Amino acid sequence: MPARILVVDDEPPIVDLLVYNLQRANYDVVVARDGKEALTKARQEEPDLIILDLMLPHLDGLEVCRALRRERDVPIIMLTARDSEVDRVVGLELGADDYVVKPFSVRELMARVGSVLRRAAPREPEVAPDLVRAGGLAVDAARHEAQWHGVELVLTALEFDLLYCLARHAGQVLSREQLLVQVWGYDYYGDLRVVDAAIKRLRSKLRRVAPAGELIVTVRGVGYKLTG
């Protein structure tokens, strides 16, 4: 079955462009033209990916993203205006997987779509060990489960992959560029803040079960490492 993609945008030229190129790539495409319709379609159609514009009638993209993240782990790529810097960062912190700035390159957007879908799809464990332990942390790639001293962590697919990558290299510093290649799965030539936002969300969830210490440490000017 082809992946189902929900396109949420109120600009007809953008919608037509996205629908045409996504259907050419053999994706099943569903369209919503405002925030309320987006939530309805997301619940009814259960898409594999949502391309979500931030500037929407009735309910903006940030509210849609926030509501969706409370309900399910569906990958989200945001479409943002060039000058919406604050909204862009907030969207990433709310749980969007990536963003593309308008006006965008169709080739770039399609590459992002493919990358996000590949990461979210069920897959065989890599050659890397299925179960990785770092101190009180246990990350099981085969079961897609992560625990801290037996307490299960509720993570999105992106957050799980990021934690698994850090756990595999516990004690080592990984640059943002290294994390992008290993976790996002493509050579990212845009804003490295997608890594910072994902780290921030992951830290927030880790603090709920391990409030006594910071498990993910920032090494200034270099990157991040998991202390375990």
Side-chain angles (χ1 to χ4, degrees):
M1 293 290 291
R4 178 169 296 170
I5 298 177
L6 173 60
V7 172
V8 186
D9 201 300
D10 64 329
E11 299 181 58
I14 298 293
V15 172
D16 292 344
L17 178 67
L18 290 173
V19 170
Y20 173 75
N21 284 279
L22 290 168
Q23 288 181 338
R24 279 191 64 192
N26 296 318
Y27 294 118
D28 181 14
V29 184
V30 179
V31 174
R33 301 181 187 276
D34 62 57
K36 291 183 178 179
E37 186 182 11
L39 290 178
T40 299
K41 291 284 182 69
R43 291 159 182 158
Q44 291 176 344
E45 302 291 342
E46 297 187 347
D48 300 293
L49 169 68
I50 298 176
I51 299 176
L52 176 65
D53 187 31
L54 289 189
M55 303 298 293
L56 294 168
H58 306 310
L59 196 66
D60 68 31
L62 293 178
E63 289 300 320
V64 172
C65 184
R66 183 180 288 110
L68 289 170
R69 276 290 166 262
R70 288 196 295 262
E71 297 178 11
R72 59 182 293 230
D73 175 22
V74 55
I76 298 172
I77 296 177
M78 299 185 307
L79 296 181
T80 78
R82 189 174 297 279
D83 59 353
S84 61
E85 177 96 8
V86 174
D87 286 347
R88 199 175 307 157
V89 174
V90 171
L92 289 171
E93 292 180 352
L94 287 175
D97 293 68
D98 205 346
Y99 73 85
V100 176
V101 177
K102 292 181 177 181
F104 54 83
S105 156
V106 171
R107 180 176 296 180
E108 177 188 356
L109 177 62
M110 296 301 290
R112 303 286 179 88
V113 167
S115 176
V116 170
L117 285 172
R118 283 192 298 273
R119 189 183 62 246
R123 60 190 184 276
E124 292 296 322
E126 301 175 4
V127 177
D130 292 348
L131 179 61
V132 178
R133 296 187 183 275
L137 184 69
V139 186
D140 190 330
R143 295 177 178 271
H144 212 269
E145 294 176 350
Q147 296 181 344
W148 172 255
H149 288 292
V151 178
E152 186 173 356
L153 300 170
V154 181
L155 306 174
T156 67
L158 172 60
E159 292 160 358
F160 179 88
D161 288 349
L162 181 56
L163 181 60
Y164 180 61
C165 181
L166 290 167
R168 283 178 54 198
H169 301 89
Q172 301 176 30
V173 182
L174 297 177
S175 69
R176 292 169 176 83
E177 291 83 359
Q178 287 175 307
L179 289 169
L180 280 167
V181 171
Q182 294 189 43
V183 177
W184 276 254
Y186 56 90
D187 293 328
Y188 195 84
Y189 51 86
D191 197 333
L192 294 176
R193 283 174 299 184
V194 294
V195 176
D196 298 329
I199 289 285
K200 183 175 181 179
R201 298 198 308 267
L202 183 54
R203 276 177 169 159
S204 176
K205 292 185 176 181
L206 288 171
R207 288 189 189 115
R208 297 173 192 172
V209 297
E214 190 70 82
L215 297 180
I216 300 175
V217 176
T218 301
V219 180
R220 189 175 299 277
V222 184
Y224 301 99
K225 71 176 179 179
L226 183 78
T227 60

